[in-house]
Amino acid sequence: MITTLSPADSFFFFSESQTQHQHVMGIILLDPSTAPGHFDVGTLIAQSEELVDEAPGFRLKFVDSPAAMNVPMVAEDPNFNFRNHIHHIALPAPGNLEQLSELVADIASRPLNHDIPLWENWYVSGLEGGLIAIVSKSHHSMSDGVSGAETMAKMFDLEPDPPAREGKGKSIVKHSSAKEPSTLEIVQTAFKARRKSPSTVSTVSKAVRGLIRRREVSTACEHPELLPGNTMLGPRVFFKGQISSLRSVAMGALSLGELKALTNAFGVTLNDAVLAVVAIAVRRYLQEHDDLPEEALSCLVPISLALNEVGSDMRDQEAANQTHTMNVKFPVQIEDPVELVQTLHQCSTASKQRFNDTYDNIMLTVVDTLPPSLAAPAMSFMTGEFSARFPVSNLGVSNIPGPNFPLYMRGARVVGNYPMGPIPNGIGLGITMMSYLDEIYYTVQGCREKTPDIHRLSEFMQEAMAELREAA
């Protein structure tokens, strides 16, 4: 059966390029010492093979459509082979988090193979303490951060020695009965998808009304200086501009309890406290490169529509991605940490209010309105050279809620959970966070040519936490 991608999911298909990879990743650390009996990488691979059917996207691959139609579609791969998606690598023991980060950067620098289902798992042994890492990678058109967290919860157990799953102990990866879709099926599916799309007049009209409303709300705001400009452009800094295909990565963790204490001390939200830590760290990173601007940066912040009432009437329930983004003024020019936190809270509140009042997505309007033969080059232009010259923001920060209960796989306890999203062309720096138990785990990712010393930003985040604790 052929399925067409929603406009939200098609965006990640159309905007992918040789330098702008559109995959999301997760790095899970497991402690085998908690597992009863023998536990190694082979155990993990066998467990993963048993659970492939937990998520239908494991078998889906892109369908080649006629060039004139170019409608993004997926179908079950009739030649699906689990082993094509599995890799095992050992770090020189005892491998530390920095070495694992370098490996993750190399994995992130390579696009997924579009000829097979769009995911792969890397199993990493040789880590200090006997830990084993699972580095997963899947295409963003198949999931967002929240749905990825939900899938992760399904793949793991809630106790060290749970009741046996149905089929546990043997592979449940069934032989596929699917067939390669015929050209006629592909063309028919593409035509049906176009007939379902709203008219060009209605969608363009809606987009124009949204832009007008956005300007009206910005003008009427009690403190318009708290909002990024309508052009959404931030000052030029060293990590902004055209990116390459290569990535640099650093990983770390922040205490969730300490962040919650900061929210109480400063009277701000948890997300504001997280953004403040990043803002102080980025400020120090820019200072170290002698590139601190005199004005605020612009920060791209994803918002989950699945977790917010905002835009709920505009959600595509069948879309894998239920996110939109807002831009927040990022006051890195402020030195005093208390003033920075309060200003950032005001800027975040103002941006969220503007988002509430003007929710719309111009990119998705382009994808949904234009014929696919035009949408593809339009998106390529908007997210390619144009985006490199006129990037929407300076950096991106994503904070995803994760499980607050321990997870296990075959008895091995999850002791680390680091998420990672793509970085858009023109921005070149992204921080992705996810909570797990009493920590918020994060990855900082950049274009390798622009941020070869990305580990310094991670170190500055730890220092920023200490600075905010002292200020509180």
Side-chain angles (χ1 to χ4, degrees), residues 270-307:
L270 179 62
N271 204 52
D272 291 336
V274 167
L275 290 177
V277 170
V278 176
I280 293 174
V282 170
R283 172 185 168 83
R284 294 187 178 193
Y285 193 44
L286 290 167
Q287 283 178 319
E288 186 165 87
H289 285 263
D290 196 26
D291 198 28
L292 182 64
E294 296 181 354
E295 58 183 307
L297 301 183
S298 179
C299 180
L300 195 69
V301 179
I303 293 180
S304 171
L305 302 183
L307 301 178

Side-chain angles (χ1 to χ4, degrees), residues 12 22 77 93 163 178 182 213 266 269 274 280 295 310 324 328 405 450 453:
F12 297 103
Q22 290 293 9
D77 182 4
S182 66
R213 176 63 178 160
F266 293 117
T269 68
V274 167
I280 293 174
E295 58 183 307
V310 178
H324 188 33
V328 177
F405 43 83
K450 296 178 182 297
D453 59 346

Side-chain angles (χ1 to χ4, degrees), residues 236-258:
R236 187 160 292 278
V237 290
F238 73 91
F239 49 74
K240 191 176 180 182
Q242 178 66 50
I243 63 174
S244 75
S245 62
L246 302 178
R247 302 290 177 260
S248 55
V249 173
M251 300 188 293
L254 303 172
S255 167
L256 182 58
E258 290 184 5

Side-chain angles (χ1 to χ4, degrees), residues 442-456:
Y442 65 82
T443 59
V444 291
Q445 177 189 191
C447 168
R448 189 177 298 175
E449 285 78 4
K450 296 178 182 297
T451 58
D453 59 346
I454 195 78
H455 65 281
R456 292 291 291 151

Side-chain angles (χ1 to χ4, degrees), residues 159-177:
E159 52 187 301
D161 191 17
R165 294 172 183 259
E166 184 179 350
K168 188 172 182 178
K170 63 179 181 178
S171 171
I172 61 170
V173 179
K174 309 177 185 69
H175 177 72
S176 175
S177 60

